[in-house]
Amino acid sequence: MTGLGALIADWRELFAWPWWLAALPLPLLARWLLPPARDGSAALKVPFGARLDAVAAAGGRGLRGGGAGWLLWLAWALLCLAAARPQQLGDPIRPPQVGRGMMLALDLSGSMSEQDMTLGRRNVDRLTAAKAVLADFLDRRVGDRVGLVVFGNRAYVLAPLTLDRDTVRDQLGNSLVGLAGQETAIGEAIGLAVRRLRQLPERERVLILLTDGVNTPGTPDPMRAAQIARDEGVRVHTIAFGGDGVLTLFGVRLPTSGGAEVDEAALRRIADLTGGRFFRARDTAELAGIYAEIDRLEPVQREGKAVRPRLERYPWPLGAALALGLLAFAWPRRRPA
C-alpha cells in the first residue's frame, strides 16, 4: 500500500489532473461497443464532406494500417495528455519577507489630557496629537506586525501583534485618557511589551514607548524592565512628549497642571541600555518628525519558506495534437481501385 501511495504521489507531481489519462481508450471502447453505422447516403451535404469521410475512414483502419488513422490516434492521446495538465517543478526559491515586530506603548495617564498641542491650527490635548501622528505612522509600516499597549495605573494590550494595521488603528482611535488609570506605569508597560515580542526572531523586536510623565512609585522599576528587554533582544525607543505649557488667549504660556514633568533622564537610560534611541517632542510637528525618523529604520529581511513553483507544460501536447489533427485532415485520400 505504501508503494501504491508513492506511485500516486509521483503521478500527482507530474500531472495536476491525472484522471484524464483514463480517457485514452475511449475511442477503442466506442469502436468495439457501438454498432456499425448503416450504409446510406448522407442526408446533409457539407463542404469538404468527402475529405472528412476519408479522414474518418482512415481513422477506422488506423489500428490495422498506416495513413491518417495513426495521426488521429496520436492526436487523441496528446489531447488526453494536455487535459491531464502536465507540470514541472521549478527550482526552489525563498521569497524574502520584510518587516519588524513592533509594539507601540502609549501613555493614557491623566496628564495626557493637557491641551498644549496644536493640530490643524487648533489647540488639542496631547493624546489627540499623539493618536494623529501614530495613525499616520501605522499607514507607512506595511509588512510589520504591530501591536498596541496602553498604560496608566496598569498596562494592557489593546491589540496583539498583527499584520492587520486597521485593527490597531481602530483600537488606537478608541483609546481615552484615564482608560488604564491616571498614573504612569512605565516599567509594567515595557515588561508587557517584551513578553509579547518574545514570539518573534530576536533581531526584529522593537518597542516604541511614548509618555509625558514619571514612573509611578510602587509599580515595576523601568530600569529593571529595560534590563529584561535588553536580555530579550528588544530595542526600546523612548519618546518624552509634552509642551512647555498651555498657550493662553493672550499668547502667554502657563505651566501645565499635570504634575511632575517627564523624566527625560530615565527614558534616555532605557533607550541607551536596550540599543534604542531617545527622542524629545514638545509639539506635534516634532513628534511627527520623530516617528518619520523611526520609520526610516532599515527593515529586517529574512528568508521565507522555500517553495517550488509549478510550471505548466500542457501547451506543448495541446499544440502537437492540433498540428496532427490538421495533418490528418490534409492527408491525401486513397482513391478506390
Side-chain angles (χ1 to χ4, degrees):
M1 189 66 181
T2 303
L4 179 59
L7 181 61
I8 294 175
D10 292 340
W11 277 95
R12 291 290 299 175
E13 292 291 335
L14 293 175
F15 300 98
W17 301 331
W19 53 84
W20 274 103
L21 297 177
L24 281 170
L26 284 181
L28 281 175
L29 294 176
R31 180 181 177 187
W32 291 339
L33 299 179
L34 295 180
R38 295 181 179 179
D39 189 15
S41 60
L44 179 65
K45 301 296 183 180
V46 298
F48 307 106
R51 180 61 55 86
L52 292 174
D53 291 340
V55 172
R61 301 189 303 267
L63 292 179
R64 298 186 299 271
W70 281 107
L71 297 177
L72 291 174
W73 282 106
L74 187 55
W76 172 256
L78 290 173
L79 279 176
C80 293
L81 189 64
R85 283 183 59 194
Q87 298 176 333
Q88 179 183 354
L89 291 178
D91 296 331
I93 58 175
R94 291 183 178 271
Q97 297 180 1
V98 181
R100 295 182 183 274
M102 185 174 294
M103 292 297 296
L104 307 177
L106 179 62
D107 188 352
L108 295 185
S109 62
S111 57
M112 289 292 286
S113 63
E114 292 291 342
Q115 294 195 352
D116 56 354
M117 294 293 149
T118 303
L119 184 65
R121 297 184 179 181
R122 62 187 181 91
N123 291 336
V124 296
D125 58 77
R126 295 174 181 176
L127 180 59
T128 300
K131 287 161 64 172
V133 174
L134 276 171
D136 180 69
F137 177 74
L138 285 171
D139 290 338
R140 299 194 299 269
R141 300 306 298 186
V142 178
D144 278 354
R145 287 182 174 87
V146 184
L148 178 62
V149 170
V150 297
F151 58 98
N153 295 10
R154 299 286 304 273
Y156 302 94
V157 176
L158 285 191
L161 286 168
T162 177
L163 292 171
D164 186 1
R165 292 171 293 126
D166 291 336
T167 297
V168 181
R169 190 182 296 106
D170 291 342
Q171 294 296 332
L172 175 66
N174 294 331
S175 302
L176 300 173
V177 172
L179 181 65
Q182 299 295 320
E183 298 180 347
T184 311
I186 296 175
E188 185 171 336
I190 295 175
L192 180 58
V194 169
R195 288 196 296 272
R196 293 289 178 162
L197 289 166
R198 282 174 178 166
Q199 60 184 283
L200 299 177
E202 184 172 331
R203 295 176 56 196
E204 302 173 23
R205 304 170 185 173
V206 177
L207 168 62
I208 304 175
L209 183 140
L210 182 147
T211 182
D212 68 342
V214 180
N215 188 68
T216 303
T219 59
D221 179 27
M223 296 310 302
R224 175 56 183 161
Q227 292 173 1
I228 296 174
R230 178 197 60 190
D231 296 340
E232 294 289 342
V234 178
R235 291 187 305 281
V236 182
H237 302 291
T238 56
I239 302 174
F241 189 42
D244 296 325
V246 180
L247 186 66
T248 66
L249 295 175
F250 304 100
V252 179
R253 288 197 177 273
L254 298 178
T256 61
S257 58
E261 293 294 330
V262 61
D263 191 351
E264 297 184 24
L267 294 177
R268 189 183 301 275
R269 290 196 302 271
I270 292 171
D272 292 341
L273 181 62
T274 59
R277 292 188 57 184
F278 166 76
F279 301 94
R280 180 68 170 96
R282 291 179 172 81
D283 55 39
T284 308
E286 287 185 355
L287 183 62
I290 289 169
Y291 277 102
E293 185 172 351
I294 296 175
D295 184 52
R296 287 191 291 269
L297 291 171
E298 289 295 328
V300 175
Q301 293 192 358
R302 62 186 186 276
E303 289 187 339
K305 184 179 179 181
V307 296
R308 297 187 68 182
R310 293 183 177 271
L311 308 177
E312 296 286 350
R313 298 305 187 201
Y314 72 87
W316 297 100
L318 184 61
L322 178 60
L324 289 176
L326 292 176
L327 184 59
F329 182 78
W331 194 269
R333 179 166 60 93
R334 182 179 300 175
R335 298 181 179 274

